[in-house]
Amino acid sequence: MSGTKNSSQFFTIGLVTAWYSSNIGVLLLNKYLLSNYGFKYPIFLTMCHMTACSLLSYIAIAWMKMVPMQTIRSRVQFMKISALSLIFCTSVVSGNISLRYLPVSFNQAIGATTPFFTAVFAYLMTLKREAWLTYVTLIPVVTGVVIASGGEPSFHLFGFIMCVGATAARALKSVLQGILLSSEGEKLNSMNLLLYMAPIAVVFLLPATLLMEENVVGITLALARDDSRIIWLLLFNSALAYFVNLTNFLVTKHTSALTLQVLGNAKGAVAVVISILIFRNPVSVTGMLGYALTVFGVILYSEAKKRSK
């Protein structure tokens, strides 16, 4: 029995490591491509991600049978998934745009405020009130980001607005997903939801890319003639974007939602340390204190949520 338990623990540790690696890897690669490499096409990059998610989701579900295929039951359900897909696109594109202007460490500090936006949207859309203590814990979450913004040497207003927009859109998607796909007949697991959302996202992103990032395919091919690495970087980055979703699903399945939340908080801190070591972006003591306060607030928020259940 102990052998089975040990192998199960090793499997879970392996999953968490794969989740961390793919999550932090895609974040750092996005930053490298959009900022350091000078590939200034965040919408096209997001479209590459969504195309890979469409193909790999189909392979994982239809061919490899990783989870049973769930079908779309009605036109209404399709419209709901399309709405979620549009918000998802907005979140990813805004996040990628922000990485052009902000260091990963500051990007992660703002991203840690997701619980604040989730609580706001949940209240506005469902009138669902949390215990007062839960709202109190959101004060350090927001205060930390305000302090981090004031102490950020690489602060960029447009990048900051895009990052806040991405964080708010991510929270809105999770709240809407709970509302729109709450009936038993419409519930989709995250892998099936991605299978349907990703191709719809490509349909949204294609005209946006053509309108806002003129001749991006031609420019990418011209870049590839000078440096073939760009093609491999885009392919690897896109595959990694899918593995973020896959490992997230598997970690949720093999642990608990609360464990995922705790691991997610730690992941942000790990990403900050790694990004500072790789990109050597300047950080101030004030900025790091602000980020630490935000993470502390998120941990308190998780505890308050757990106790109020």
Side-chain angles (χ1 to χ4, degrees):
M1 277 296 283
S2 63
T4 314
K5 194 178 177 185
N6 284 345
S7 62
S8 168
Q9 280 179 337
F10 280 126
F11 178 70
T12 307
I13 291 165
L15 273 182
V16 172
T17 307
W19 181 51
Y20 266 42
S21 306
S22 56
N23 225 300
I24 295 169
V26 83
L27 188 68
L28 298 178
L29 251 179
N30 284 350
K31 175 65 181 172
Y32 174 73
L33 281 166
L34 295 165
S35 191
N36 297 54
Y37 190 90
F39 186 78
K40 296 178 170 60
Y41 305 104
I43 304 174
F44 178 71
L45 183 65
T46 308
M47 195 177 80
C48 290
H49 288 180
M50 292 301 112
T51 306
C53 286
S54 305
L55 294 169
L56 294 171
S57 290
Y58 187 77
I59 291 167
I61 297 172
W63 291 2
M64 295 170 72
K65 306 271 192 277
M66 287 188 75
V67 291
M69 172 89 75
Q70 292 172 291
T71 54
I72 294 178
R73 302 284 179 90
S74 64
R75 185 181 292 179
V76 173
Q77 190 186 12
F78 175 75
M79 295 308 290
K80 289 174 178 178
I81 292 168
S82 299
L84 287 173
S85 185
L86 184 59
I87 296 163
F88 183 54
C89 280
T90 307
S91 166
V92 180
V93 170
S94 303
N96 283 343
I97 291 171
S98 77
L99 282 171
R100 270 188 66 187
Y101 303 99
L102 300 177
V104 172
S105 50
F106 189 44
N107 179 285
Q108 287 295 289
I110 299 165
T113 60
T114 304
F116 167 76
F117 288 104
T118 306
V120 169
F121 287 129
Y123 178 72
L124 290 175
M125 298 171 81
T126 64
L127 296 178
K128 180 189 165 201
R129 288 190 183 184
E130 301 286 353
W132 66 269
L133 192 63
T134 309
Y135 290 118
V136 169
T137 62
L138 291 171
I139 296 168
V141 172
V142 179
T143 310
V145 168
V146 172
I147 293 168
S149 304
E152 176 54 54
S154 314
F155 184 84
H156 188 286
L157 184 61
F158 179 66
F160 176 75
I161 291 166
M162 283 289 109
C163 197
V164 170
T167 307
R170 196 160 50 238
L172 179 62
K173 179 194 159 276
S174 67
V175 173
L176 267 181
Q177 192 174 316
I179 299 167
L180 297 181
L181 303 176
S182 58
S183 68
E184 279 306 314
E186 289 186 339
K187 269 186 187 164
L188 294 172
N189 64 47
S190 59
M191 284 188 74
N192 272 278
L193 186 60
L194 185 67
L195 173 70
Y196 295 117
M197 266 173 40
I200 297 168
V202 174
V203 172
F204 286 135
L205 291 165
L206 185 60
T209 306
L210 295 172
L211 284 168
M212 298 166 76
E213 298 178 340
E214 274 184 67
N215 195 28
V216 63
V217 177
I219 293 164
T220 307
L221 291 173
L223 270 173
R225 278 194 286 274
D226 294 334
D227 181 9
S228 61
R229 271 190 327 150
I230 184 69
I231 298 295
W232 294 110
L233 282 169
L234 285 172
L235 285 171
F236 179 63
N237 192 18
S238 301
L240 212 52
Y242 172 70
F243 282 104
V244 169
N245 291 284
L246 176 64
T247 51
N248 194 331
F249 170 78
L250 292 171
V251 169
T252 310
K253 189 178 169 186
H254 289 278
T255 60
S256 66
L258 192 71
T259 307
L260 192 78
Q261 213 169 24
V262 173
L263 290 169
N265 299 339
K267 176 178 60 62
V270 173
V272 167
V273 173
I274 293 173
S275 75
I276 291 167
L277 292 172
I278 291 174
F279 297 113
R280 311 254 172 210
N281 56 285
V283 284
S284 66
V285 175
T286 312
M288 289 314 288
L289 282 172
Y291 180 65
L293 182 62
T294 295
V295 172
F296 179 64
V298 171
I299 292 164
L300 288 178
Y301 174 80
S302 304
E303 278 298 308
K305 284 275 283 182
K306 188 170 71 174
R307 287 184 182 190
S308 67
K309 280 179 183 173

